[in-house]
Amino acid sequence: ADILRVIYKEEVSHVYKGSKWFHYLAEEQQLPAIETFHTMVKTYFAGVLKRPFNDDARSRAQLFPDYYEPLAD
């Protein structure tokens, strides 16, 4: 169980860093972040996102529901 807590913490950190860079690049290129995210997921991810989501962890990682909920099954 201890290793799962370590993995969980690392994953939140990983998603936070990706979200930070994604927002930086979207702003730099003057792209709408949410719409660009949706387009990229639809282009590069096969299938749909599946619930349930850990909204608390995603929010701590700066990835909010308006990014992923519209893409869910």
Side-chain angles (χ1 to χ4, degrees):
D2 288 337
I3 191 65
L4 293 177
R5 283 188 271 281
V6 171
I7 292 169
Y8 177 83
K9 184 178 175 181
E10 292 280 328
E11 189 62 21
V12 170
S13 175
H14 172 83
V15 172
Y16 171 77
K17 290 171 187 169
S19 177
K20 181 179 175 180
W21 277 108
F22 177 81
H23 284 95
Y24 170 80
L25 292 171
E27 184 177 321
E28 183 180 78
Q29 296 178 32
Q30 298 180 345
L31 297 171
I34 293 173
E35 292 85 355
T36 302
F37 182 83
H38 290 174
T39 299
M40 292 180 76
V41 169
K42 289 175 185 176
T43 301
Y44 300 107
F45 181 74
V48 294
L49 303 182
K50 297 179 183 172
R51 292 182 180 93
F53 299 116
N54 185 332
D55 294 322
D56 179 57
R58 287 174 184 252
S59 291
R60 282 188 282 123
Q62 301 297 301
L63 186 63
F64 300 105
D66 49 346
Y67 281 85
Y68 54 86
E69 278 294 340
L71 301 170
D73 60 352

XYZ file of all heavy atoms in Angstrom:
614
model
N 0.823 -1.193 0.000
C 0.000 0.000 0.000
C 0.872 1.264 0.000
O 0.494 2.265 -0.595
C -0.942 -0.001 1.180
N 2.019 1.197 0.659
C 2.882 2.378 0.700
C 3.366 2.775 -0.690
O 3.433 3.960 -1.013
C 4.087 2.142 1.616
C 3.703 2.114 3.077
O 2.645 2.679 3.430
O 4.459 1.518 3.872
N 3.674 1.801 -1.520
C 4.162 2.111 -2.860
C 3.064 2.782 -3.688
O 3.349 3.642 -4.525
C 4.727 0.864 -3.578
C 5.470 1.275 -4.861
C 3.632 -0.124 -3.915
C 6.699 2.087 -4.648
N 1.811 2.433 -3.444
C 0.713 3.073 -4.175
C 0.594 4.547 -3.819
O 0.287 5.370 -4.685
C -0.601 2.347 -3.909
C -0.688 0.935 -4.475
C -2.008 0.290 -4.085
C -0.490 0.925 -5.977
N 0.875 4.899 -2.580
C 0.857 6.312 -2.187
C 1.977 7.071 -2.887
O 1.799 8.209 -3.303
C 0.968 6.437 -0.667
C -0.334 6.120 0.041
C -0.243 6.432 1.533
N 0.243 5.323 2.334
C -0.486 4.291 2.703
N -1.735 4.198 2.333
N 0.022 3.336 3.448
N 3.123 6.453 -3.028
C 4.248 7.072 -3.728
C 3.889 7.275 -5.203
O 4.094 8.351 -5.766
C 5.530 6.219 -3.593
C 6.633 6.736 -4.504
C 5.987 6.183 -2.145
N 3.338 6.250 -5.823
C 2.950 6.340 -7.234
C 1.891 7.424 -7.424
O 1.959 8.221 -8.358
C 2.454 4.975 -7.751
C 3.623 3.987 -7.787
C 1.799 5.112 -9.118
C 3.207 2.550 -8.025
N 0.912 7.476 -6.548
C -0.162 8.464 -6.610
C 0.421 9.876 -6.574
O 0.097 10.721 -7.410
C -1.121 8.230 -5.447
C -2.246 9.213 -5.338
C -3.408 9.054 -6.093
C -2.176 10.290 -4.468
C -4.452 9.943 -5.979
C -3.219 11.186 -4.350
C -4.363 11.011 -5.106
O -5.397 11.909 -4.990
N 1.300 10.127 -5.619
C 1.917 11.448 -5.482
C 2.728 11.802 -6.723
O 2.666 12.924 -7.224
C 2.811 11.472 -4.237
C 3.420 12.808 -3.948
C 4.262 12.750 -2.673
C 4.975 14.062 -2.440
N 5.813 14.033 -1.253
N 3.482 10.852 -7.231
C 4.286 11.069 -8.440
C 3.392 11.364 -9.644
O 3.725 12.196 -10.485
C 5.155 9.847 -8.730
C 6.244 9.615 -7.723
C 7.452 10.506 -7.949
O 7.729 10.839 -9.107
O 8.100 10.863 -6.955
N 2.271 10.668 -9.738
C 1.366 10.864 -10.877
C 0.732 12.253 -10.843
O 0.610 12.912 -11.875
C 0.288 9.778 -10.909
C -0.540 9.783 -12.155
C 0.247 9.519 -13.427
O 1.352 8.949 -13.375
O -0.260 9.892 -14.507
N 0.326 12.718 -9.681
C -0.222 14.068 -9.562
C 0.834 15.082 -9.994
O 0.545 16.014 -10.752
C -0.723 14.358 -8.128
C -1.074 15.829 -7.952
C -1.928 13.485 -7.804
N 2.057 14.901 -9.563
C 3.149 15.788 -9.945
C 3.391 15.747 -11.449
O 3.590 16.784 -12.089
C 4.426 15.395 -9.194
O 5.514 16.151 -9.635
N 3.356 14.557 -12.017
C 3.569 14.374 -13.454
C 2.488 15.102 -14.260
O 2.788 15.826 -15.217
C 3.568 12.876 -13.769
C 3.587 12.548 -15.208
N 4.735 12.516 -15.952
C 2.581 12.233 -16.054
C 4.440 12.201 -17.193
N 3.137 12.018 -17.283
N 1.233 14.933 -13.871
C 0.126 15.580 -14.590
C 0.219 17.094 -14.419
O -0.026 17.856 -15.363
C -1.236 15.035 -14.116
C -2.397 15.837 -14.712
C -1.364 13.566 -14.480
N 0.588 17.559 -13.235
C 0.743 18.996 -13.009
C 1.791 19.592 -13.955
O 1.561 20.638 -14.571
C 1.138 19.271 -11.554
C 1.512 20.715 -11.328
C 0.527 21.686 -11.237
C 2.844 21.108 -11.237
C 0.857 23.023 -11.062
C 3.174 22.432 -11.067
C 2.184 23.386 -10.977
O 2.518 24.716 -10.807
N 2.908 18.928 -14.079
C 3.969 19.438 -14.957
C 3.514 19.453 -16.412
O 3.766 20.414 -17.142
C 5.240 18.603 -14.799
C 5.904 18.821 -13.455
C 7.021 17.839 -13.221
C 7.532 17.978 -11.785
N 8.423 16.899 -11.418
N 2.838 18.400 -16.847
C 2.326 18.369 -18.212
C 1.300 19.456 -18.457
O 1.309 20.117 -19.506
N 0.425 19.675 -17.496
C -0.591 20.717 -17.613
C 0.056 22.100 -17.679
O -0.347 22.947 -18.482
C -1.544 20.644 -16.416
O -2.487 21.679 -16.470
N 1.055 22.305 -16.843
C 1.762 23.592 -16.834
C 2.378 23.872 -18.196
O 2.224 24.969 -18.748
C 2.843 23.570 -15.749
C 3.612 24.857 -15.631
C 4.639 24.755 -14.509
C 5.507 25.989 -14.459
N 6.492 25.916 -13.381
N 3.088 22.899 -18.788
C 3.722 23.077 -20.091
C 2.690 23.228 -21.197
O 2.859 24.035 -22.118
C 4.674 21.920 -20.400
C 6.005 22.132 -19.767
C 6.524 21.467 -18.702
C 6.988 23.109 -20.148
N 7.765 21.963 -18.402
C 8.073 22.970 -19.271
C 7.050 24.087 -21.138
C 9.216 23.764 -19.360
C 8.182 24.877 -21.226
C 9.238 24.708 -20.337
N 1.625 22.455 -21.123
C 0.579 22.561 -22.134
C -0.002 23.975 -22.148
O -0.155 24.580 -23.214
C -0.527 21.529 -21.880
C -1.652 21.643 -22.855
C -1.540 21.081 -24.115
C -2.814 22.323 -22.528
C -2.574 21.199 -25.047
C -3.846 22.446 -23.441
C -3.721 21.888 -24.696
N -0.320 24.507 -20.980
C -0.886 25.859 -20.908
C 0.117 26.910 -21.380
O -0.260 27.861 -22.057
C -1.367 26.164 -19.489
C -2.637 25.485 -19.168
N -2.697 24.278 -18.524
C -3.916 25.823 -19.447
C -3.949 23.915 -18.405
N -4.711 24.824 -18.953
N 1.364 26.732 -21.031
C 2.400 27.667 -21.477
C 2.475 27.691 -23.002
O 2.487 28.757 -23.613
C 3.752 27.277 -20.868
C 4.905 28.039 -21.455
C 5.194 29.333 -21.030
C 5.717 27.477 -22.439
C 6.242 30.046 -21.575
C 6.774 28.183 -22.987
C 7.035 29.465 -22.554
O 8.074 30.176 -23.102
N 2.530 26.510 -23.612
C 2.656 26.439 -25.066
C 1.394 26.917 -25.770
O 1.475 27.584 -26.812
C 3.007 25.018 -25.496
C 4.402 24.557 -25.075
C 4.574 23.072 -25.342
C 5.476 25.371 -25.776
N 0.236 26.600 -25.226
C -1.015 27.074 -25.829
C -1.061 28.600 -25.798
O -1.409 29.238 -26.792
C -2.216 26.485 -25.102
N -0.689 29.180 -24.678
C -0.689 30.642 -24.563
C 0.344 31.259 -25.505
O 0.057 32.244 -26.188
C -0.397 31.063 -23.125
C -0.466 32.565 -22.910
C -0.254 32.955 -21.462
O -0.764 32.243 -20.580
O 0.441 33.957 -21.231
N 1.516 30.666 -25.554
C 2.580 31.175 -26.424
C 2.150 31.176 -27.889
O 2.488 32.080 -28.643
C 3.842 30.326 -26.249
C 5.028 30.823 -27.048
C 6.248 29.951 -26.829
O 6.300 28.856 -27.431
O 7.118 30.366 -26.049
N 1.397 30.156 -28.290
C 0.942 30.047 -29.677
C -0.451 30.644 -29.886
O -1.034 30.502 -30.954
C 0.964 28.579 -30.103
C 2.366 28.013 -30.099
C 2.394 26.546 -30.471
O 1.582 26.064 -31.244
N 3.339 25.817 -29.907
N -0.959 31.284 -28.856
C -2.268 31.929 -28.880
C -3.381 30.957 -29.293
O -4.220 31.264 -30.137
C -2.239 33.164 -29.786
C -1.262 34.205 -29.299
C -1.211 35.440 -30.184
O -1.691 35.450 -31.297
N -0.621 36.496 -29.656
N -3.353 29.781 -28.694
C -4.359 28.756 -28.945
C -5.285 28.650 -27.739
O -4.828 28.753 -26.598
C -3.695 27.398 -29.187
C -2.783 27.290 -30.396
C -2.024 25.966 -30.371
C -3.605 27.416 -31.670
N -6.569 28.416 -27.968
C -7.478 28.199 -26.830
C -7.166 26.850 -26.181
O -7.250 25.803 -26.837
C -8.863 28.222 -27.478
C -8.622 27.844 -28.901
C -7.237 28.333 -29.247
N -6.789 26.871 -24.934
C -6.279 25.673 -24.269
C -7.278 24.518 -24.253
O -6.930 23.396 -24.622
C -5.835 26.013 -22.852
N -8.491 24.763 -23.835
C -9.455 23.672 -23.695
C -9.788 23.064 -25.056
O -9.762 21.848 -25.224
C -10.728 24.137 -22.972
C -10.393 24.492 -21.518
C -11.818 23.071 -23.024
C -11.523 25.121 -20.747
N -10.071 23.912 -26.030
C -10.416 23.409 -27.359
C -9.239 22.663 -27.989
O -9.422 21.627 -28.640
C -10.870 24.553 -28.275
C -12.200 25.162 -27.866
C -12.082 26.241 -26.794
O -10.955 26.480 -26.269
O -13.113 26.840 -26.452
N -8.053 23.169 -27.784
C -6.855 22.514 -28.313
C -6.651 21.159 -27.646
O -6.335 20.170 -28.306
C -5.614 23.414 -28.122
O -5.849 24.657 -28.792
C -4.365 22.754 -28.668
N -6.867 21.094 -26.343
C -6.763 19.832 -25.618
C -7.754 18.818 -26.177
O -7.410 17.667 -26.448
C -7.008 20.072 -24.126
C -6.874 18.851 -23.278
C -5.642 18.418 -22.843
C -7.994 18.121 -22.902
C -5.506 17.280 -22.052
C -7.881 16.993 -22.114
C -6.628 16.571 -21.691
N -9.005 19.237 -26.357
C -10.031 18.338 -26.890
C -9.647 17.824 -28.272
O -9.778 16.622 -28.551
C -11.380 19.047 -26.963
C -11.975 19.318 -25.624
N -13.131 20.046 -25.464
C -11.585 18.981 -24.373
C -13.439 20.127 -24.186
N -12.501 19.492 -23.504
N -9.169 18.708 -29.124
C -8.764 18.311 -30.478
C -7.625 17.304 -30.429
O -7.639 16.295 -31.143
C -8.347 19.541 -31.302
O -9.477 20.414 -31.406
C -7.865 19.154 -32.679
N -6.646 17.561 -29.579
C -5.498 16.661 -29.491
C -5.897 15.293 -28.949
O -5.433 14.263 -29.451
C -4.398 17.295 -28.641
C -3.775 18.507 -29.309
S -2.481 19.263 -28.319
C -1.175 18.070 -28.599
N -6.751 15.258 -27.939
C -7.185 13.974 -27.391
C -7.948 13.191 -28.455
O -7.710 12.000 -28.661
C -8.051 14.158 -26.118
C -8.713 12.854 -25.711
C -7.198 14.699 -24.978
N -8.848 13.868 -29.166
C -9.627 13.187 -30.206
C -8.733 12.700 -31.345
O -9.014 11.677 -31.966
C -10.696 14.119 -30.746
C -11.812 14.369 -29.757
C -12.785 15.401 -30.291
C -13.830 15.748 -29.245
N -14.714 16.824 -29.711
N -7.656 13.411 -31.609
C -6.750 13.043 -32.691
C -5.812 11.904 -32.303
O -5.581 10.985 -33.087
C -5.910 14.268 -33.124
O -6.801 15.298 -33.558
C -4.950 13.914 -34.239
N -5.270 11.957 -31.091
C -4.202 11.035 -30.713
C -4.577 9.942 -29.722
O -3.771 9.069 -29.444
C -3.009 11.828 -30.164
C -2.448 12.784 -31.175
C -2.644 14.150 -31.051
C -1.748 12.317 -32.279
C -2.136 15.033 -31.994
C -1.240 13.189 -33.227
C -1.436 14.546 -33.073
O -0.939 15.407 -34.018
N -5.783 9.985 -29.163
C -6.191 8.985 -28.179
C -7.306 8.145 -28.771
O -8.347 8.667 -29.162
C -6.660 9.665 -26.889
C -7.066 8.707 -25.809
C -6.113 7.991 -25.106
C -8.402 8.525 -25.488
C -6.473 7.110 -24.109
C -8.781 7.637 -24.501
C -7.816 6.932 -23.809
N -7.106 6.848 -28.835
C -8.132 5.953 -29.369
C -9.151 5.643 -28.284
O -8.785 5.222 -27.189
C -7.494 4.667 -29.883
N -10.395 5.860 -28.565
C -11.440 5.563 -27.602
C -11.922 6.807 -26.888
O -11.710 7.923 -27.348
N -12.580 6.590 -25.773
C -13.100 7.691 -24.966
C -12.502 7.608 -23.566
O -12.026 6.553 -23.143
C -14.646 7.652 -24.865
C -15.280 7.899 -26.218
C -15.129 6.349 -24.271
N -12.535 8.702 -22.871
C -12.083 8.703 -21.479
C -13.175 8.056 -20.632
O -14.356 8.289 -20.853
C -11.829 10.133 -21.009
C -10.817 10.943 -21.821
C -10.636 12.324 -21.198
C -9.490 10.223 -21.913
N -12.756 7.258 -19.676
C -13.716 6.494 -18.876
C -13.761 6.996 -17.440
O -12.733 7.236 -16.828
C -13.348 5.014 -18.914
C -13.434 4.444 -20.313
C -13.043 2.988 -20.347
C -13.086 2.503 -21.784
N -12.551 1.179 -21.935
N -14.978 7.150 -16.987
C -15.200 7.503 -15.590
C -15.030 6.255 -14.730
O -15.112 5.165 -15.258
C -16.613 8.061 -15.426
C -16.785 9.400 -16.105
C -18.202 9.910 -15.843
N -18.406 11.190 -16.476
C -18.923 11.351 -17.693
N -19.312 10.321 -18.395
N -19.062 12.556 -18.190
N -14.848 6.399 -13.446
C -14.831 7.622 -12.647
C -13.469 8.307 -12.688
O -12.437 7.664 -12.896
C -15.136 7.125 -11.232
C -14.563 5.748 -11.209
C -14.736 5.196 -12.613
N -13.489 9.607 -12.508
C -12.267 10.396 -12.454
C -11.983 10.786 -11.009
O -12.895 10.974 -10.221
C -12.407 11.686 -13.278
C -12.677 11.443 -14.731
C -13.869 11.847 -15.303
C -11.741 10.808 -15.530
C -14.117 11.633 -16.648
C -11.975 10.591 -16.879
C -13.174 11.000 -17.435
N -10.723 10.919 -10.680
C -10.335 11.420 -9.371
C -10.219 12.940 -9.516
O -9.157 13.488 -9.773
C -9.007 10.813 -8.928
C -8.642 11.210 -7.524
O -9.036 12.270 -7.053
N -7.870 10.374 -6.860
N -11.374 13.608 -9.390
C -11.426 15.053 -9.610
C -10.524 15.822 -8.653
O -9.922 16.826 -9.034
C -12.857 15.568 -9.498
C -13.760 15.030 -10.600
O -13.287 14.902 -11.747
O -14.940 14.762 -10.313
N -10.425 15.355 -7.418
C -9.586 16.038 -6.438
C -8.114 16.024 -6.882
O -7.460 17.062 -6.903
C -9.734 15.386 -5.060
C -8.849 16.052 -4.023
O -8.985 17.281 -3.836
O -8.012 15.349 -3.421
N -7.619 14.868 -7.256
C -6.219 14.757 -7.684
C -5.984 15.530 -8.966
O -4.968 16.212 -9.124
C -5.830 13.297 -7.873
N -6.932 15.454 -9.900
C -6.776 16.187 -11.155
C -6.772 17.692 -10.909
O -6.018 18.420 -11.550
C -7.877 15.789 -12.133
C -7.668 14.393 -12.694
C -8.856 13.967 -13.548
N -8.702 12.605 -13.995
C -8.423 12.260 -15.242
N -8.275 13.171 -16.162
N -8.301 11.001 -15.562
N -7.616 18.161 -10.013
C -7.635 19.597 -9.700
C -6.317 20.043 -9.072
O -5.805 21.114 -9.390
C -8.804 19.926 -8.768
O -10.019 19.786 -9.454
N -5.776 19.212 -8.182
C -4.473 19.544 -7.591
C -3.384 19.596 -8.654
O -2.403 20.312 -8.524
C -4.101 18.565 -6.484
C -4.848 18.862 -5.196
C -4.377 18.039 -4.023
N -4.948 16.695 -4.140
C -4.226 15.581 -4.168
N -2.913 15.630 -4.090
N -4.811 14.407 -4.277
N -3.583 18.848 -9.730
C -2.616 18.832 -10.833
C -2.939 19.904 -11.880
O -2.319 19.943 -12.934
C -2.612 17.456 -11.486
N -3.904 20.759 -11.572
C -4.312 21.841 -12.472
C -4.924 21.329 -13.779
O -4.783 21.939 -14.837
C -3.145 22.792 -12.761
C -2.554 23.450 -11.519
C -3.556 24.341 -10.810
O -4.064 25.279 -11.386
N -3.851 24.037 -9.552
N -5.608 20.197 -13.713
C -6.344 19.661 -14.854
C -7.803 19.575 -14.404
O -8.181 18.673 -13.658
C -5.812 18.289 -15.262
C -6.420 17.703 -16.531
C -6.102 18.574 -17.747
C -5.910 16.296 -16.767
N -8.602 20.542 -14.850
C -9.951 20.708 -14.336
C -10.993 19.997 -15.200
O -10.735 19.687 -16.368
C -10.252 22.197 -14.193
C -9.291 22.876 -13.258
C -8.286 23.701 -13.747
C -9.356 22.653 -11.890
C -7.390 24.309 -12.893
C -8.460 23.253 -11.023
C -7.476 24.084 -11.519
N -12.178 19.715 -14.650
C -13.193 18.922 -15.346
C -13.570 19.408 -16.739
O -13.919 18.593 -17.591
C -14.403 18.974 -14.408
C -13.811 19.155 -13.055
C -12.604 20.047 -13.285
N -13.505 20.699 -17.012
C -13.878 21.168 -18.343
C -12.931 20.661 -19.421
O -13.246 20.704 -20.611
C -14.029 22.686 -18.408
C -12.867 23.457 -17.808
O -12.038 22.867 -17.087
O -12.789 24.667 -18.067
N -11.792 20.144 -19.012
C -10.857 19.547 -19.971
C -11.252 18.115 -20.317
O -11.193 17.701 -21.460
C -9.417 19.547 -19.434
C -8.753 20.876 -19.577
C -8.926 21.869 -18.624
C -7.974 21.154 -20.683
C -8.341 23.098 -18.776
C -7.374 22.392 -20.844
C -7.560 23.363 -19.883
O -6.981 24.582 -20.041
N -11.638 17.329 -19.331
C -11.844 15.904 -19.583
C -13.292 15.434 -19.569
O -13.619 14.478 -20.250
C -11.007 15.048 -18.631
C -11.201 15.346 -17.156
C -12.214 14.756 -16.445
C -10.337 16.218 -16.501
C -12.386 15.024 -15.090
C -10.499 16.490 -15.152
C -11.529 15.888 -14.447
O -11.691 16.158 -13.130
N -14.177 16.093 -18.850
C -15.559 15.633 -18.786
C -16.244 15.588 -20.155
O -16.930 14.622 -20.465
C -16.382 16.491 -17.816
C -16.223 16.108 -16.372
C -16.785 14.722 -16.051
O -17.621 14.191 -16.798
O -16.373 14.177 -15.019
N -16.076 16.599 -21.015
C -16.734 16.527 -22.333
C -16.237 15.371 -23.204
O -16.909 15.004 -24.172
C -16.389 17.860 -22.984
C -16.091 18.779 -21.856
C -15.446 17.907 -20.813
N -15.117 14.792 -22.872
C -14.547 13.707 -23.656
C -14.893 12.327 -23.104
O -14.547 11.317 -23.690
C -13.026 13.855 -23.707
C -12.511 15.170 -24.300
C -11.022 15.310 -24.067
C -12.859 15.284 -25.766
N -15.577 12.304 -21.981
C -15.879 11.039 -21.302
C -17.053 10.324 -21.952
O -17.870 10.938 -22.633
C -16.171 11.298 -19.832
N -17.112 9.012 -21.714
C -18.207 8.209 -22.262
C -19.515 8.513 -21.568
O -19.590 9.104 -20.563
C -17.869 6.721 -22.127
C -17.645 6.282 -20.689
O -17.594 7.125 -19.775
O -17.503 5.074 -20.477
